[in-house]
Amino acid sequence: MERYGKAQFAAAIGLVANGVLGLAKITGGTLGRSSALVADGVHSLSDCGTSVAALIGLKVAAKPPDKGHPYGHGRAESITGKVVAIILIIIAVILAWNSASRLLRPHEYSAPFLGALLIAGASILIKEGLFQYKIRVAKKTGSTAIEADAWHHRSDSFSSVAAFVGIGASMAGGPKWAFMDNAAAGAVALIILWVGVSIFRKTWGELMDASAPEKTLGNLRALALEVPGVDAVEKIFARKSGLDIFVDIHIEVDPEMTVKEGHDIARRVRKHITGESDNVKNVLVHVEPHGSGADEAHLFNQPSDVIWRNFGC
Ligand SMILES: [Zn+2]
Ligand SMILES: [Zn+2]
Ligand SMILES: [Zn+2]
């Protein structure tokens, strides 16, 4: 199999495994009287949903720009990520609420069945196996997405370990330890909540036009200065949209040159930057006369309404 095929195969394996594990755990947990196993099963199914949403997001994001979306479709990934994060948070809150209300309300003791314990144990082994397999594929293909996926499988096995311990303790400990199964369900809910919140935070930055890192800005500035005729870079903004970066750059040129000469330099700056950097999708170059940018030097120390009036120049 070639690299791309290997990566896709690894993604498909994870999807199927999570689907089968999720259904097995929810069924086994319901029949085997373990709310921890049901919670862990909901976790696996939600992972399935996350993967499907990510695939859809990637597919839409890969579409080229069109008339209705001249900046491309890169945000699709952040939007599906946001939806998934909100769903995960809601699921986690419901599971946590259920486990807390069962813990606080006295009820008859009913130990989980052995089957529930065995399913939780199998889930730990399968998840660890998936981790080992995917970390190897990640090394071979150099895919960071698969590496992240691998570590997710390992964190999933912690969720199953929590269920395993909870079920085992409430089976072995008798009525006194019956609460352990519910407590484990609460722990699983917290793990899901953590995953949801971290996806929410990541997509927040992407949807807010967060700036590209300072290092990237420095590299882009250096690239622009390499173009003959660019006397200075007055300011530069870069924002991420999906995997793409969009750049706004203000260059200073000789005030006496013609509009045509200035425009040619601007075009060379755009070509040079998009040619030399992998992720830069487009560069908007603004040309201004060298030596007149002093009034803009302290742009970010001014009140925000002044910044907005100055933005176009
Ligand atoms: Zn997970
Ligand atoms: Zn032009
Ligand atoms: Zn300017």
PDB file of all heavy atoms in Angstrom, residues 221-261:
ATOM      1  N   ARG A 221       7.820  38.134   6.560  1.00  0.00           N
ATOM      2  CA  ARG A 221       8.403  39.470   6.440  1.00  0.00           C
ATOM      3  C   ARG A 221       9.756  39.387   5.721  1.00  0.00           C
ATOM      4  O   ARG A 221      10.037  40.162   4.798  1.00  0.00           O
ATOM      5  CB  ARG A 221       8.579  40.063   7.851  1.00  0.00           C
ATOM      6  CG  ARG A 221       9.210  41.427   7.907  1.00  0.00           C
ATOM      7  CD  ARG A 221       9.385  41.853   9.362  1.00  0.00           C
ATOM      8  NE  ARG A 221       8.125  42.225   9.992  1.00  0.00           N
ATOM      9  CZ  ARG A 221       7.660  43.477  10.016  1.00  0.00           C
ATOM     10  NH1 ARG A 221       8.356  44.451   9.466  1.00  0.00           N
ATOM     11  NH2 ARG A 221       6.523  43.751  10.602  1.00  0.00           N
ATOM     12  N   ALA A 222      10.571  38.393   6.110  1.00  0.00           N
ATOM     13  CA  ALA A 222      11.889  38.228   5.495  1.00  0.00           C
ATOM     14  C   ALA A 222      11.756  37.915   4.004  1.00  0.00           C
ATOM     15  O   ALA A 222      12.515  38.441   3.181  1.00  0.00           O
ATOM     16  CB  ALA A 222      12.653  37.110   6.207  1.00  0.00           C
ATOM     17  N   LEU A 223      10.771  37.083   3.653  1.00  0.00           N
ATOM     18  CA  LEU A 223      10.557  36.741   2.242  1.00  0.00           C
ATOM     19  C   LEU A 223      10.235  37.993   1.430  1.00  0.00           C
ATOM     20  O   LEU A 223      10.763  38.201   0.332  1.00  0.00           O
ATOM     21  CB  LEU A 223       9.409  35.729   2.108  1.00  0.00           C
ATOM     22  CG  LEU A 223       9.732  34.270   2.443  1.00  0.00           C
ATOM     23  CD1 LEU A 223       8.466  33.428   2.404  1.00  0.00           C
ATOM     24  CD2 LEU A 223      10.761  33.716   1.461  1.00  0.00           C
ATOM     25  N   ALA A 224       9.356  38.854   1.980  1.00  0.00           N
ATOM     26  CA  ALA A 224       8.956  40.067   1.259  1.00  0.00           C
ATOM     27  C   ALA A 224      10.164  40.979   1.042  1.00  0.00           C
ATOM     28  O   ALA A 224      10.328  41.578  -0.031  1.00  0.00           O
ATOM     29  CB  ALA A 224       7.866  40.798   2.030  1.00  0.00           C
ATOM     30  N   LEU A 225      11.034  41.066   2.064  1.00  0.00           N
ATOM     31  CA  LEU A 225      12.192  41.963   1.973  1.00  0.00           C
ATOM     32  C   LEU A 225      13.213  41.472   0.949  1.00  0.00           C
ATOM     33  O   LEU A 225      14.061  42.236   0.490  1.00  0.00           O
ATOM     34  CB  LEU A 225      12.849  42.110   3.353  1.00  0.00           C
ATOM     35  CG  LEU A 225      12.073  43.014   4.319  1.00  0.00           C
ATOM     36  CD1 LEU A 225      12.619  42.901   5.733  1.00  0.00           C
ATOM     37  CD2 LEU A 225      12.108  44.471   3.846  1.00  0.00           C
ATOM     38  N   GLU A 226      13.134  40.178   0.579  1.00  0.00           N
ATOM     39  CA  GLU A 226      14.062  39.638  -0.421  1.00  0.00           C
ATOM     40  C   GLU A 226      13.752  40.155  -1.824  1.00  0.00           C
ATOM     41  O   GLU A 226      14.596  40.099  -2.714  1.00  0.00           O
ATOM     42  CB  GLU A 226      13.976  38.100  -0.437  1.00  0.00           C
ATOM     43  CG  GLU A 226      14.754  37.424   0.689  1.00  0.00           C
ATOM     44  CD  GLU A 226      14.433  35.937   0.786  1.00  0.00           C
ATOM     45  OE1 GLU A 226      13.928  35.369  -0.206  1.00  0.00           O
ATOM     46  OE2 GLU A 226      14.676  35.364   1.851  1.00  0.00           O
ATOM     47  N   VAL A 227      12.508  40.633  -2.032  1.00  0.00           N
ATOM     48  CA  VAL A 227      12.117  41.084  -3.372  1.00  0.00           C
ATOM     49  C   VAL A 227      12.728  42.461  -3.651  1.00  0.00           C
ATOM     50  O   VAL A 227      12.558  43.382  -2.850  1.00  0.00           O
ATOM     51  CB  VAL A 227      10.578  41.148  -3.486  1.00  0.00           C
ATOM     52  CG1 VAL A 227      10.158  41.711  -4.837  1.00  0.00           C
ATOM     53  CG2 VAL A 227       9.975  39.772  -3.256  1.00  0.00           C
ATOM     54  N   PRO A 228      13.466  42.612  -4.774  1.00  0.00           N
ATOM     55  CA  PRO A 228      14.086  43.902  -5.093  1.00  0.00           C
ATOM     56  C   PRO A 228      13.025  44.998  -5.220  1.00  0.00           C
ATOM     57  O   PRO A 228      11.957  44.758  -5.804  1.00  0.00           O
ATOM     58  CB  PRO A 228      14.749  43.648  -6.456  1.00  0.00           C
ATOM     59  CG  PRO A 228      14.839  42.165  -6.590  1.00  0.00           C
ATOM     60  CD  PRO A 228      13.737  41.583  -5.790  1.00  0.00           C
ATOM     61  N   GLY A 229      13.306  46.166  -4.656  1.00  0.00           N
ATOM     62  CA  GLY A 229      12.363  47.278  -4.737  1.00  0.00           C
ATOM     63  C   GLY A 229      11.568  47.456  -3.455  1.00  0.00           C
ATOM     64  O   GLY A 229      10.988  48.513  -3.225  1.00  0.00           O
ATOM     65  N   VAL A 230      11.550  46.424  -2.602  1.00  0.00           N
ATOM     66  CA  VAL A 230      10.851  46.551  -1.321  1.00  0.00           C
ATOM     67  C   VAL A 230      11.815  47.196  -0.325  1.00  0.00           C
ATOM     68  O   VAL A 230      12.805  46.594   0.073  1.00  0.00           O
ATOM     69  CB  VAL A 230      10.381  45.176  -0.797  1.00  0.00           C
ATOM     70  CG1 VAL A 230       9.718  45.328   0.569  1.00  0.00           C
ATOM     71  CG2 VAL A 230       9.432  44.528  -1.782  1.00  0.00           C
ATOM     72  N   ASP A 231      11.540  48.465   0.050  1.00  0.00           N
ATOM     73  CA  ASP A 231      12.437  49.166   0.967  1.00  0.00           C
ATOM     74  C   ASP A 231      12.179  48.772   2.416  1.00  0.00           C
ATOM     75  O   ASP A 231      13.085  48.744   3.236  1.00  0.00           O
ATOM     76  CB  ASP A 231      12.250  50.683   0.817  1.00  0.00           C
ATOM     77  CG  ASP A 231      12.762  51.162  -0.545  1.00  0.00           C
ATOM     78  OD1 ASP A 231      13.599  50.449  -1.135  1.00  0.00           O
ATOM     79  OD2 ASP A 231      12.305  52.222  -1.011  1.00  0.00           O
ATOM     80  N   ALA A 232      10.923  48.503   2.734  1.00  0.00           N
ATOM     81  CA  ALA A 232      10.589  48.134   4.112  1.00  0.00           C
ATOM     82  C   ALA A 232       9.240  47.437   4.128  1.00  0.00           C
ATOM     83  O   ALA A 232       8.453  47.569   3.184  1.00  0.00           O
ATOM     84  CB  ALA A 232      10.537  49.380   5.003  1.00  0.00           C
ATOM     85  N   VAL A 233       9.008  46.661   5.199  1.00  0.00           N
ATOM     86  CA  VAL A 233       7.677  46.086   5.413  1.00  0.00           C
ATOM     87  C   VAL A 233       7.069  46.853   6.567  1.00  0.00           C
ATOM     88  O   VAL A 233       7.573  46.825   7.686  1.00  0.00           O
ATOM     89  CB  VAL A 233       7.763  44.583   5.744  1.00  0.00           C
ATOM     90  CG1 VAL A 233       6.407  44.062   6.184  1.00  0.00           C
ATOM     91  CG2 VAL A 233       8.259  43.808   4.539  1.00  0.00           C
ATOM     92  N   GLU A 234       5.979  47.573   6.278  1.00  0.00           N
ATOM     93  CA  GLU A 234       5.417  48.436   7.310  1.00  0.00           C
ATOM     94  C   GLU A 234       4.622  47.631   8.319  1.00  0.00           C
ATOM     95  O   GLU A 234       4.759  47.804   9.520  1.00  0.00           O
ATOM     96  CB  GLU A 234       4.541  49.501   6.657  1.00  0.00           C
ATOM     97  CG  GLU A 234       4.007  50.510   7.642  1.00  0.00           C
ATOM     98  CD  GLU A 234       2.528  50.737   7.464  1.00  0.00           C
ATOM     99  OE1 GLU A 234       1.924  50.123   6.565  1.00  0.00           O
ATOM    100  OE2 GLU A 234       1.977  51.503   8.241  1.00  0.00           O
ATOM    101  N   LYS A 235       3.754  46.750   7.833  1.00  0.00           N
ATOM    102  CA  LYS A 235       3.104  45.823   8.762  1.00  0.00           C
ATOM    103  C   LYS A 235       2.646  44.580   8.029  1.00  0.00           C
ATOM    104  O   LYS A 235       2.540  44.562   6.801  1.00  0.00           O
ATOM    105  CB  LYS A 235       1.950  46.492   9.508  1.00  0.00           C
ATOM    106  CG  LYS A 235       0.832  47.034   8.674  1.00  0.00           C
ATOM    107  CD  LYS A 235      -0.215  47.658   9.601  1.00  0.00           C
ATOM    108  CE  LYS A 235      -1.265  48.432   8.826  1.00  0.00           C
ATOM    109  NZ  LYS A 235      -1.122  49.884   8.989  1.00  0.00           N
ATOM    110  N   ILE A 236       2.403  43.543   8.810  1.00  0.00           N
ATOM    111  CA  ILE A 236       2.021  42.266   8.211  1.00  0.00           C
ATOM    112  C   ILE A 236       1.060  41.537   9.145  1.00  0.00           C
ATOM    113  O   ILE A 236       1.271  41.464  10.355  1.00  0.00           O
ATOM    114  CB  ILE A 236       3.281  41.415   7.912  1.00  0.00           C
ATOM    115  CG1 ILE A 236       2.891  40.074   7.315  1.00  0.00           C
ATOM    116  CG2 ILE A 236       4.143  41.219   9.146  1.00  0.00           C
ATOM    117  CD1 ILE A 236       4.049  39.350   6.665  1.00  0.00           C
ATOM    118  N   PHE A 237      -0.053  41.054   8.566  1.00  0.00           N
ATOM    119  CA  PHE A 237      -1.002  40.225   9.313  1.00  0.00           C
ATOM    120  C   PHE A 237      -1.103  38.885   8.599  1.00  0.00           C
ATOM    121  O   PHE A 237      -1.036  38.834   7.372  1.00  0.00           O
ATOM    122  CB  PHE A 237      -2.409  40.832   9.327  1.00  0.00           C
ATOM    123  CG  PHE A 237      -2.483  42.227   9.877  1.00  0.00           C
ATOM    124  CD1 PHE A 237      -3.121  43.230   9.159  1.00  0.00           C
ATOM    125  CD2 PHE A 237      -1.944  42.523  11.112  1.00  0.00           C
ATOM    126  CE1 PHE A 237      -3.208  44.513   9.664  1.00  0.00           C
ATOM    127  CE2 PHE A 237      -2.028  43.807  11.626  1.00  0.00           C
ATOM    128  CZ  PHE A 237      -2.659  44.804  10.900  1.00  0.00           C
ATOM    129  N   ALA A 238      -1.282  37.815   9.344  1.00  0.00           N
ATOM    130  CA  ALA A 238      -1.536  36.521   8.722  1.00  0.00           C
ATOM    131  C   ALA A 238      -2.538  35.777   9.586  1.00  0.00           C
ATOM    132  O   ALA A 238      -2.420  35.753  10.804  1.00  0.00           O
ATOM    133  CB  ALA A 238      -0.245  35.725   8.596  1.00  0.00           C
ATOM    134  N   ARG A 239      -3.570  35.201   8.940  1.00  0.00           N
ATOM    135  CA  ARG A 239      -4.556  34.447   9.715  1.00  0.00           C
ATOM    136  C   ARG A 239      -4.713  33.068   9.111  1.00  0.00           C
ATOM    137  O   ARG A 239      -4.527  32.872   7.915  1.00  0.00           O
ATOM    138  CB  ARG A 239      -5.901  35.174   9.739  1.00  0.00           C
ATOM    139  CG  ARG A 239      -6.491  35.383   8.386  1.00  0.00           C
ATOM    140  CD  ARG A 239      -7.566  36.460   8.425  1.00  0.00           C
ATOM    141  NE  ARG A 239      -7.910  36.848   7.070  1.00  0.00           N
ATOM    142  CZ  ARG A 239      -8.763  36.173   6.313  1.00  0.00           C
ATOM    143  NH1 ARG A 239      -9.345  35.093   6.776  1.00  0.00           N
ATOM    144  NH2 ARG A 239      -9.024  36.562   5.090  1.00  0.00           N
ATOM    145  N   LYS A 240      -5.041  32.117   9.983  1.00  0.00           N
ATOM    146  CA  LYS A 240      -5.214  30.742   9.538  1.00  0.00           C
ATOM    147  C   LYS A 240      -6.673  30.476   9.235  1.00  0.00           C
ATOM    148  O   LYS A 240      -7.561  30.893   9.965  1.00  0.00           O
ATOM    149  CB  LYS A 240      -4.755  29.770  10.630  1.00  0.00           C
ATOM    150  CG  LYS A 240      -3.254  29.638  10.715  1.00  0.00           C
ATOM    151  CD  LYS A 240      -2.894  28.481  11.609  1.00  0.00           C
ATOM    152  CE  LYS A 240      -3.264  27.168  10.939  1.00  0.00           C
ATOM    153  NZ  LYS A 240      -3.239  26.031  11.856  1.00  0.00           N
ATOM    154  N   SER A 241      -6.929  29.784   8.123  1.00  0.00           N
ATOM    155  CA  SER A 241      -8.275  29.338   7.804  1.00  0.00           C
ATOM    156  C   SER A 241      -8.153  27.878   7.413  1.00  0.00           C
ATOM    157  O   SER A 241      -7.662  27.570   6.336  1.00  0.00           O
ATOM    158  CB  SER A 241      -8.837  30.172   6.659  1.00  0.00           C
ATOM    159  OG  SER A 241     -10.085  29.660   6.261  1.00  0.00           O
ATOM    160  N   GLY A 242      -8.547  26.970   8.307  1.00  0.00           N
ATOM    161  CA  GLY A 242      -8.276  25.555   8.070  1.00  0.00           C
ATOM    162  C   GLY A 242      -6.775  25.347   8.057  1.00  0.00           C
ATOM    163  O   GLY A 242      -6.079  25.796   8.955  1.00  0.00           O
ATOM    164  N   LEU A 243      -6.271  24.698   6.999  1.00  0.00           N
ATOM    165  CA  LEU A 243      -4.822  24.498   6.912  1.00  0.00           C
ATOM    166  C   LEU A 243      -4.150  25.650   6.183  1.00  0.00           C
ATOM    167  O   LEU A 243      -2.930  25.730   6.120  1.00  0.00           O
ATOM    168  CB  LEU A 243      -4.518  23.184   6.181  1.00  0.00           C
ATOM    169  CG  LEU A 243      -5.025  21.910   6.861  1.00  0.00           C
ATOM    170  CD1 LEU A 243      -4.760  20.695   5.992  1.00  0.00           C
ATOM    171  CD2 LEU A 243      -4.364  21.735   8.216  1.00  0.00           C
ATOM    172  N   ASP A 244      -4.955  26.561   5.594  1.00  0.00           N
ATOM    173  CA  ASP A 244      -4.408  27.639   4.772  1.00  0.00           C
ATOM    174  C   ASP A 244      -4.092  28.880   5.603  1.00  0.00           C
ATOM    175  O   ASP A 244      -4.699  29.124   6.635  1.00  0.00           O
ATOM    176  CB  ASP A 244      -5.413  28.035   3.686  1.00  0.00           C
ATOM    177  CG  ASP A 244      -5.780  26.853   2.806  1.00  0.00           C
ATOM    178  OD1 ASP A 244      -4.904  26.000   2.589  1.00  0.00           O
ATOM    179  OD2 ASP A 244      -6.933  26.795   2.364  1.00  0.00           O
ATOM    180  N   ILE A 245      -3.124  29.664   5.087  1.00  0.00           N
ATOM    181  CA  ILE A 245      -2.796  30.943   5.720  1.00  0.00           C
ATOM    182  C   ILE A 245      -3.056  32.058   4.711  1.00  0.00           C
ATOM    183  O   ILE A 245      -2.676  31.946   3.539  1.00  0.00           O
ATOM    184  CB  ILE A 245      -1.322  30.972   6.179  1.00  0.00           C
ATOM    185  CG1 ILE A 245      -1.093  29.942   7.286  1.00  0.00           C
ATOM    186  CG2 ILE A 245      -0.924  32.356   6.666  1.00  0.00           C
ATOM    187  CD1 ILE A 245       0.349  29.859   7.746  1.00  0.00           C
ATOM    188  N   PHE A 246      -3.749  33.111   5.153  1.00  0.00           N
ATOM    189  CA  PHE A 246      -3.982  34.286   4.321  1.00  0.00           C
ATOM    190  C   PHE A 246      -3.182  35.450   4.890  1.00  0.00           C
ATOM    191  O   PHE A 246      -3.213  35.700   6.089  1.00  0.00           O
ATOM    192  CB  PHE A 246      -5.471  34.634   4.278  1.00  0.00           C
ATOM    193  CG  PHE A 246      -6.285  33.638   3.497  1.00  0.00           C
ATOM    194  CD1 PHE A 246      -6.795  32.508   4.119  1.00  0.00           C
ATOM    195  CD2 PHE A 246      -6.511  33.815   2.143  1.00  0.00           C
ATOM    196  CE1 PHE A 246      -7.525  31.571   3.403  1.00  0.00           C
ATOM    197  CE2 PHE A 246      -7.243  32.889   1.420  1.00  0.00           C
ATOM    198  CZ  PHE A 246      -7.753  31.761   2.046  1.00  0.00           C
ATOM    199  N   VAL A 247      -2.461  36.152   4.001  1.00  0.00           N
ATOM    200  CA  VAL A 247      -1.532  37.188   4.455  1.00  0.00           C
ATOM    201  C   VAL A 247      -1.960  38.553   3.926  1.00  0.00           C
ATOM    202  O   VAL A 247      -2.344  38.686   2.759  1.00  0.00           O
ATOM    203  CB  VAL A 247      -0.099  36.880   3.960  1.00  0.00           C
ATOM    204  CG1 VAL A 247       0.876  37.944   4.448  1.00  0.00           C
ATOM    205  CG2 VAL A 247       0.344  35.498   4.405  1.00  0.00           C
ATOM    206  N   ASP A 248      -1.921  39.566   4.790  1.00  0.00           N
ATOM    207  CA  ASP A 248      -2.040  40.963   4.374  1.00  0.00           C
ATOM    208  C   ASP A 248      -0.715  41.627   4.692  1.00  0.00           C
ATOM    209  O   ASP A 248      -0.263  41.586   5.836  1.00  0.00           O
ATOM    210  CB  ASP A 248      -3.146  41.679   5.160  1.00  0.00           C
ATOM    211  CG  ASP A 248      -4.507  41.083   4.881  1.00  0.00           C
ATOM    212  OD1 ASP A 248      -5.048  41.356   3.809  1.00  0.00           O
ATOM    213  OD2 ASP A 248      -5.006  40.332   5.738  1.00  0.00           O
ATOM    214  N   ILE A 249      -0.089  42.239   3.677  1.00  0.00           N
ATOM    215  CA  ILE A 249       1.213  42.842   3.926  1.00  0.00           C
ATOM    216  C   ILE A 249       1.271  44.249   3.334  1.00  0.00           C
ATOM    217  O   ILE A 249       0.723  44.500   2.251  1.00  0.00           O
ATOM    218  CB  ILE A 249       2.344  41.939   3.359  1.00  0.00           C
ATOM    219  CG1 ILE A 249       3.714  42.453   3.783  1.00  0.00           C
ATOM    220  CG2 ILE A 249       2.252  41.813   1.846  1.00  0.00           C
ATOM    221  CD1 ILE A 249       4.818  41.442   3.553  1.00  0.00           C
ATOM    222  N   HIS A 250       1.850  45.173   4.081  1.00  0.00           N
ATOM    223  CA  HIS A 250       2.031  46.545   3.603  1.00  0.00           C
ATOM    224  C   HIS A 250       3.517  46.750   3.328  1.00  0.00           C
ATOM    225  O   HIS A 250       4.324  46.669   4.259  1.00  0.00           O
ATOM    226  CB  HIS A 250       1.573  47.557   4.658  1.00  0.00           C
ATOM    227  CG  HIS A 250       0.092  47.530   4.897  1.00  0.00           C
ATOM    228  ND1 HIS A 250      -0.606  48.617   5.351  1.00  0.00           N
ATOM    229  CD2 HIS A 250      -0.823  46.542   4.738  1.00  0.00           C
ATOM    230  CE1 HIS A 250      -1.886  48.303   5.466  1.00  0.00           C
ATOM    231  NE2 HIS A 250      -2.037  47.042   5.102  1.00  0.00           N
ATOM    232  N   ILE A 251       3.875  46.988   2.049  1.00  0.00           N
ATOM    233  CA  ILE A 251       5.285  47.205   1.728  1.00  0.00           C
ATOM    234  C   ILE A 251       5.518  48.674   1.396  1.00  0.00           C
ATOM    235  O   ILE A 251       4.611  49.371   0.927  1.00  0.00           O
ATOM    236  CB  ILE A 251       5.741  46.332   0.531  1.00  0.00           C
ATOM    237  CG1 ILE A 251       4.868  46.610  -0.698  1.00  0.00           C
ATOM    238  CG2 ILE A 251       5.708  44.856   0.885  1.00  0.00           C
ATOM    239  CD1 ILE A 251       5.446  46.045  -1.980  1.00  0.00           C
ATOM    240  N   GLU A 252       6.732  49.146   1.663  1.00  0.00           N
ATOM    241  CA  GLU A 252       7.084  50.526   1.321  1.00  0.00           C
ATOM    242  C   GLU A 252       8.046  50.505   0.140  1.00  0.00           C
ATOM    243  O   GLU A 252       8.998  49.730   0.119  1.00  0.00           O
ATOM    244  CB  GLU A 252       7.726  51.218   2.529  1.00  0.00           C
ATOM    245  CG  GLU A 252       6.739  51.403   3.672  1.00  0.00           C
ATOM    246  CD  GLU A 252       7.339  52.179   4.834  1.00  0.00           C
ATOM    247  OE1 GLU A 252       8.471  52.682   4.696  1.00  0.00           O
ATOM    248  OE2 GLU A 252       6.670  52.273   5.873  1.00  0.00           O
ATOM    249  N   VAL A 253       7.749  51.364  -0.864  1.00  0.00           N
ATOM    250  CA  VAL A 253       8.602  51.439  -2.055  1.00  0.00           C
ATOM    251  C   VAL A 253       8.988  52.902  -2.301  1.00  0.00           C
ATOM    252  O   VAL A 253       8.445  53.814  -1.667  1.00  0.00           O
ATOM    253  CB  VAL A 253       7.877  50.878  -3.308  1.00  0.00           C
ATOM    254  CG1 VAL A 253       7.514  49.414  -3.108  1.00  0.00           C
ATOM    255  CG2 VAL A 253       6.641  51.701  -3.626  1.00  0.00           C
ATOM    256  N   ASP A 254       9.906  53.107  -3.243  1.00  0.00           N
ATOM    257  CA  ASP A 254      10.342  54.450  -3.642  1.00  0.00           C
ATOM    258  C   ASP A 254       9.119  55.305  -4.013  1.00  0.00           C
ATOM    259  O   ASP A 254       8.370  54.947  -4.917  1.00  0.00           O
ATOM    260  CB  ASP A 254      11.287  54.286  -4.850  1.00  0.00           C
ATOM    261  CG  ASP A 254      11.728  55.629  -5.408  1.00  0.00           C
ATOM    262  OD1 ASP A 254      11.351  56.670  -4.834  1.00  0.00           O
ATOM    263  OD2 ASP A 254      12.454  55.608  -6.425  1.00  0.00           O
ATOM    264  N   PRO A 255       8.904  56.458  -3.329  1.00  0.00           N
ATOM    265  CA  PRO A 255       7.695  57.272  -3.557  1.00  0.00           C
ATOM    266  C   PRO A 255       7.590  57.805  -4.986  1.00  0.00           C
ATOM    267  O   PRO A 255       6.493  58.134  -5.444  1.00  0.00           O
ATOM    268  CB  PRO A 255       7.853  58.446  -2.580  1.00  0.00           C
ATOM    269  CG  PRO A 255       8.950  58.073  -1.657  1.00  0.00           C
ATOM    270  CD  PRO A 255       9.787  57.033  -2.315  1.00  0.00           C
ATOM    271  N   GLU A 256       8.719  57.870  -5.698  1.00  0.00           N
ATOM    272  CA  GLU A 256       8.702  58.487  -7.024  1.00  0.00           C
ATOM    273  C   GLU A 256       8.398  57.492  -8.139  1.00  0.00           C
ATOM    274  O   GLU A 256       8.299  57.871  -9.298  1.00  0.00           O
ATOM    275  CB  GLU A 256      10.062  59.163  -7.309  1.00  0.00           C
ATOM    276  CG  GLU A 256      10.471  60.199  -6.267  1.00  0.00           C
ATOM    277  CD  GLU A 256       9.427  61.312  -6.115  1.00  0.00           C
ATOM    278  OE1 GLU A 256       8.796  61.687  -7.129  1.00  0.00           O
ATOM    279  OE2 GLU A 256       9.233  61.778  -4.979  1.00  0.00           O
ATOM    280  N   MET A 257       8.296  56.217  -7.841  1.00  0.00           N
ATOM    281  CA  MET A 257       8.092  55.259  -8.937  1.00  0.00           C
ATOM    282  C   MET A 257       6.647  55.291  -9.428  1.00  0.00           C
ATOM    283  O   MET A 257       5.754  55.806  -8.760  1.00  0.00           O
ATOM    284  CB  MET A 257       8.536  53.838  -8.546  1.00  0.00           C
ATOM    285  CG  MET A 257       7.670  53.103  -7.579  1.00  0.00           C
ATOM    286  SD  MET A 257       8.156  51.357  -7.355  1.00  0.00           S
ATOM    287  CE  MET A 257       9.917  51.391  -7.174  1.00  0.00           C
ATOM    288  N   THR A 258       6.433  54.753 -10.646  1.00  0.00           N
ATOM    289  CA  THR A 258       5.093  54.805 -11.239  1.00  0.00           C
ATOM    290  C   THR A 258       4.189  53.748 -10.603  1.00  0.00           C
ATOM    291  O   THR A 258       4.663  52.821  -9.946  1.00  0.00           O
ATOM    292  CB  THR A 258       5.158  54.525 -12.754  1.00  0.00           C
ATOM    293  OG1 THR A 258       5.619  53.179 -12.932  1.00  0.00           O
ATOM    294  CG2 THR A 258       6.092  55.487 -13.453  1.00  0.00           C
ATOM    295  N   VAL A 259       2.896  53.913 -10.825  1.00  0.00           N
ATOM    296  CA  VAL A 259       1.928  52.941 -10.317  1.00  0.00           C
ATOM    297  C   VAL A 259       2.238  51.564 -10.879  1.00  0.00           C
ATOM    298  O   VAL A 259       2.186  50.546 -10.181  1.00  0.00           O
ATOM    299  CB  VAL A 259       0.487  53.356 -10.700  1.00  0.00           C
ATOM    300  CG1 VAL A 259      -0.500  52.254 -10.338  1.00  0.00           C
ATOM    301  CG2 VAL A 259       0.111  54.647 -10.001  1.00  0.00           C
ATOM    302  N   LYS A 260       2.617  51.523 -12.171  1.00  0.00           N
ATOM    303  CA  LYS A 260       2.896  50.240 -12.811  1.00  0.00           C
ATOM    304  C   LYS A 260       4.086  49.547 -12.143  1.00  0.00           C
ATOM    305  O   LYS A 260       4.028  48.352 -11.838  1.00  0.00           O
ATOM    306  CB  LYS A 260       3.182  50.442 -14.300  1.00  0.00           C
ATOM    307  CG  LYS A 260       3.280  49.121 -15.039  1.00  0.00           C
ATOM    308  CD  LYS A 260       3.778  49.274 -16.452  1.00  0.00           C
ATOM    309  CE  LYS A 260       4.033  47.914 -17.083  1.00  0.00           C
ATOM    310  NZ  LYS A 260       4.940  47.082 -16.310  1.00  0.00           N
ATOM    311  N   GLU A 261       5.162  50.320 -11.879  1.00  0.00           N
ATOM    312  CA  GLU A 261       6.338  49.726 -11.231  1.00  0.00           C
ATOM    313  C   GLU A 261       5.979  49.198  -9.838  1.00  0.00           C
ATOM    314  O   GLU A 261       6.383  48.101  -9.450  1.00  0.00           O
ATOM    315  CB  GLU A 261       7.463  50.768 -11.117  1.00  0.00           C
ATOM    316  CG  GLU A 261       8.139  51.075 -12.440  1.00  0.00           C
ATOM    317  CD  GLU A 261       9.041  52.317 -12.362  1.00  0.00           C
ATOM    318  OE1 GLU A 261       8.633  53.317 -11.730  1.00  0.00           O
ATOM    319  OE2 GLU A 261      10.138  52.269 -12.919  1.00  0.00           O
TER     320      GLU A 261
END
